[in-house]
Amino acid sequence: MIKVFVCEDNEKQRKNITNIIQNYLLMQDYDMGFELSTESPSAILSHLQQYSTNNGLYFLDVDLNAEMNGIALGLEIRKLDSSAKIVFITTHTELTYLTFLYKVEAMDYIPKDDHKIMQNKIIECIDIAMERYLNTGNLTEENIVVKAGDASIRLNVNEIKFIESSSVPHKLVVHLDNRKVEYYGKIKEAENLSSKFYRCHQSFVVNINNIQEIDKKNRMVTMNDGEVCYVSTRYLKGLLSKFESDQ
């Protein structure tokens, strides 16, 4: 999932930019979520330090009237999210040369003085970020792509805890860090999506790397986030063998 951030010190402008983004995301089937809107550069950095983020999309004002300007913030963001897509929204277009000096590698520069142009450019950046994300993903990590309705969703395998059969016929539910994704599929096909996956029950496929504990007596698997799924007698021996060999 792409997480979207806004850092703008002017409250009216911040609300305006935020509304443009949120309204557009409501209209699209994008694997993208609005994460944070703030006037504080430190709030952005604290959030990134607390919650691991890859491929974030950041809309930053250049002049933030804070201890750090938007370009310096972009440089710090790049250290925490190396795949970040950074967009500067500013009235100070003459300062854009600083992004080259700081080697921020900005995705775009959007002027504030024309609302329609700003709206169109923000939407264009969202579309481009999504297209690049689907085409490349995070090349340093394993990803899978599932179809949920008309949307293609790229999922980081490391974030997947387990996959289970849905109460809705022919659907599966993917349990990830802090969210779930439902898509049409078969459980017997899900186990082949990654070498890290193992079929442990008629209705469950687990990510071996995210197992915290296997309770043999009660045939329960506890994941590293505390979620629980089940293992059948048929699959228990194989699961234990794979779990122990991967440690």
Side-chain angles (χ1 to χ4, degrees), residues 23-73:
N23 289 339
Y24 187 63
L25 292 183
L26 284 173
M27 296 166 54
Q28 305 301 314
D29 286 322
Y30 285 165
D31 185 23
M32 188 178 290
F34 196 91
E35 190 76 5
L36 180 64
S37 179
T38 179
E39 64 179 4
S40 168
S42 61
I44 296 283
L45 298 178
S46 294
H47 188 94
L48 295 181
Q49 289 163 355
Q50 185 175 359
Y51 304 102
S52 177
T53 301
N54 292 306
N55 292 303
L57 176 57
Y58 304 83
F59 293 92
L60 310 177
D61 183 20
V62 171
D63 185 9
L64 291 168
N65 290 313
E67 72 283 359
M68 180 183 296
N69 64 33
I71 297 172
L73 173 59

Side-chain angles (χ1 to χ4, degrees), residues 49-232:
Q49 289 163 355
Q50 185 175 359
Y51 304 102
S52 177
T53 301
N54 292 306
N55 292 303
L57 176 57
Y58 304 83
F59 293 92
L60 310 177
D61 183 20
V62 171
D63 185 9
L64 291 168
N65 290 313
E67 72 283 359
M68 180 183 296
N69 64 33
I71 297 172
L73 173 59
L75 182 62
E76 293 304 310
I77 288 172
R78 183 71 67 198
K79 294 176 183 177
L80 296 168
D81 179 0
S82 60
S83 301
K85 307 296 185 294
I86 297 173
V87 179
F88 292 106
I89 302 180
T90 181
T91 54
H92 300 281
T93 53
E94 73 279 1
L95 298 179
T96 55
Y97 79 93
L98 290 174
T99 61
F100 297 99
L101 184 65
Y102 279 77
K103 296 181 172 60
V104 176
E105 299 177 16
M107 180 180 180
D108 205 348
Y109 309 91
I110 301 177
K112 289 182 182 179
D113 42 14
D114 187 308
H115 175 81
K116 189 63 178 176
I117 291 177
M118 182 175 72
Q119 178 177 333
N120 290 341
K121 293 284 282 182
I122 288 173
I123 288 172
E124 181 181 281
C125 287
I126 291 172
D127 289 340
I128 291 172
M130 194 68 231
E131 181 181 357
R132 291 178 181 174
Y133 176 69
L134 288 174
N135 287 339
T136 61
N138 188 342
L139 297 180
T140 63
E141 297 183 350
E142 184 182 1
N143 295 272
I144 62 173
V145 176
V146 299
K147 294 282 290 185
D150 294 329
S152 294
I153 303 177
R154 184 178 293 277
L155 304 176
N156 185 329
V157 168
N158 291 334
E159 295 179 2
I160 297 173
K161 308 304 178 183
F162 61 91
I163 303 172
E164 67 170 325
S165 298
S166 171
S167 57
V168 179
H170 312 299
K171 274 197 169 186
L172 301 176
V173 181
V174 186
H175 292 247
L176 302 102
D177 293 335
N178 304 314
R179 66 178 178 132
K180 298 176 183 178
V181 172
E182 194 169 48
Y183 75 100
Y184 282 102
K186 298 178 180 179
I187 199 75
K188 64 180 180 181
E189 295 173 351
E191 66 179 321
N192 297 319
L193 293 174
S194 169
S195 61
K196 298 175 183 177
F197 293 169
Y198 188 82
R199 175 83 172 273
C200 64
H201 187 277
Q202 182 178 352
S203 301
F204 292 93
V205 168
V206 293
N207 185 337
I208 296 292
N209 289 2
N210 286 329
I211 293 177
Q212 181 68 38
E213 179 183 350
I214 299 174
D215 183 340
K216 293 184 286 185
K217 180 179 179 180
N218 296 303
R219 296 196 299 275
M220 294 175 61
V221 179
T222 302
M223 311 309 293
N224 55 18
D225 64 348
E227 279 202 279
V228 173
C229 60
Y230 300 100
V231 54
S232 66

